[in-house]
Amino acid sequence: FGASLSTALTNGIALLIITCPCALGLAVPAVQIVATGRLFKRGILVKSGDALERLAEIDMAVFDKTGTLTIGRPVLIDADAVDAQMLAMAAKLARASRHPLARALAAAAGIGTVADGAREVPGCGVEAVLDGHACRLGRADWAGAKHGDGHASELWFRMGDAAPVVFRFDDPLRADAGPALEAIAARDVRIEMLSGDREQAAERIARAAGVAEWRAGVDPREKASRVEALQAQGHRALMVGDGLNDAAALALAHVSISPGTAVDATQAAADMVLQGETLAPIVDAIDVARQTRRRVLENFAFAAAYNAVAVPLAAAGLVTPLIAALAMASSSLIVTLNALRIRAGANR
């Protein structure tokens, strides 16, 4: 526009400094780093930054029952009523599984051997050949038995053609499960529970936790199908589960969380891993994820406004390179300080 080479060069340098995309480049990672650090202190390990973005979008939360809403350490309550030999034989199958009920059965039987060739069928149980007899330990229908009338969680053991034997367990609800689910629902998130247990056991936990929508007797394929159906309906579902039978549903969910006590395959499929014995950190994670989204949008808005104002000024020669450098550094500092606001608390 008729300016001298010196003036044009100065204006060009100022413009290049102004348009350095530092603020834009820091807009997302700065917020995500602060957010994941806050959640780490609260007991949630975030495996990827985009998991927070997806968690901020959820409108449903689907929970597994055993080991998720319950503490996952059931206790055998009818050991005295069970034949000692049947308990010892069933324990050989139980030691081949990481299912909470199988662990409880193995603990009640004490130290012993594992059945050779034991094979775990997700959602059903464990089977092997013991003393020449085909044996199964797991769900009642899979072991060839009818459901009991009690409200305890059960494992059924069948050895050959003998009548199935039932083992009953009690797995108490996590201390903060009710308040945590209530807090999640208060954030406009619909709650649903899916359980592989029979109806009586699932209903008892659902009532205690205050869950109105629940399904019992759901196998791994049905859990995954339910999550797919919710996604097809336009829902963005959070899946929380710990068992091997939850892995497929966790992978299909919009975002997923697994307790730290879960099996390796389940933790690998989840986007976040929950440490500790409480569910309260999930509420914090939802709050932090939503605040993270707000901070990212604020940073983008600021970066856009900064460039919209500063670039024309620099091009017109109203900004020197020194002022441009100060403005560029200040924009990065403002974006970083805005990200640090997450440390002050998820509700601010």
Side-chain angles (χ1 to χ4, degrees):
F1 297 113
S4 65
L5 178 61
S6 175
T7 301
L9 185 60
T10 300
N11 293 352
I13 292 173
L15 182 62
L16 288 175
I17 295 174
I18 285 289
T19 55
C20 178
C22 293
L24 192 62
L26 290 172
V28 175
V31 175
Q32 289 181 343
I33 288 172
V34 176
T36 54
R38 175 182 169 84
L39 290 180
F40 177 76
K41 292 180 180 178
R42 291 290 295 148
I44 289 190
L45 306 180
V46 181
K47 295 168 62 176
S48 62
D50 67 318
L52 287 175
E53 297 177 26
R54 287 181 274 119
L55 183 60
E57 299 170 345
I58 66 165
D59 59 0
M60 280 203 69
V62 180
F63 286 83
D64 172 50
K65 181 183 78 68
T66 304
T68 303
L69 292 181
T70 64
I71 61 175
R73 290 192 294 272
V75 178
L76 183 64
I77 58 177
D78 63 347
D80 296 336
V82 178
D83 181 77
Q85 183 179 4
M86 287 291 102
L87 176 61
M89 298 299 284
K92 292 184 178 182
L93 294 181
R95 295 185 187 102
S97 172
R98 295 192 63 182
H99 190 279
L101 295 184
R103 290 181 177 181
L105 180 61
I111 299 174
T113 59
V114 181
D116 291 333
R119 184 176 73 94
E120 185 167 11
V121 180
C124 294
V126 184
E127 60 183 1
V129 176
L130 298 174
D131 296 339
H133 300 285
C135 299
R136 282 185 170 183
L137 174 71
R139 289 171 50 168
D141 54 352
W142 191 66
K146 296 181 179 180
H147 291 296
D149 297 327
H151 292 278
S153 297
E154 297 175 347
L155 277 181
W156 288 81
F157 175 67
R158 188 189 71 190
M159 185 171 183
D161 296 327
V165 178
V166 62
F167 301 95
R168 293 186 173 87
F169 305 83
D170 182 35
D171 187 11
L173 192 69
R174 291 184 188 266
D176 72 330
L181 295 187
E182 184 179 358
I184 293 173
R187 285 153 175 78
D188 296 324
V189 177
R190 198 173 113 200
I191 306 293
E192 183 173 314
M193 185 188 81
L194 301 179
S195 174
D197 281 348
R198 57 194 176 83
E199 187 171 345
Q200 294 92 334
E203 182 179 11
R204 179 175 65 86
I205 293 299
R207 287 182 179 274
V211 179
E213 298 182 55
W214 55 273
R215 299 186 181 200
V218 182
D219 62 27
R221 183 176 299 176
E222 291 171 335
K223 285 187 178 182
S225 297
R226 177 56 181 165
V227 171
E228 278 188 314
L230 291 173
Q231 303 282 75
Q233 294 169 12
H235 292 291
R236 292 181 173 89
L238 161 67
M239 177 69 194
V240 186
D242 77 313
L244 183 62
N245 57 348
D246 299 317
L250 289 167
L252 290 171
H254 190 64
V255 63
S256 55
I257 298 177
S258 175
T261 55
V263 298
D264 293 341
T266 304
Q267 291 191 38
D271 297 301
M272 303 180 188
V273 177
L274 175 66
Q275 304 295 310
E277 299 290 334
T278 65
L279 297 176
I282 297 178
V283 182
D284 289 332
I286 295 173
D287 287 341
V288 170
R290 291 179 176 179
Q291 190 185 32
T292 298
R293 181 174 58 180
R294 290 195 299 270
R295 296 292 173 260
V296 167
L297 292 176
E298 289 170 359
N299 283 350
F300 278 143
F302 170 77
Y306 159 76
N307 281 281
V309 173
V311 169
L313 293 177
L318 301 178
V319 177
T320 66
L322 177 59
I323 295 176
L326 292 174
M328 185 269 292
S330 297
S331 67
S332 300
L333 182 60
I334 290 173
V335 167
T336 303
L337 291 175
N338 189 47
L340 290 173
R341 292 172 60 198
I342 296 177
R343 284 187 177 182
N347 294 322
R348 295 188 183 179

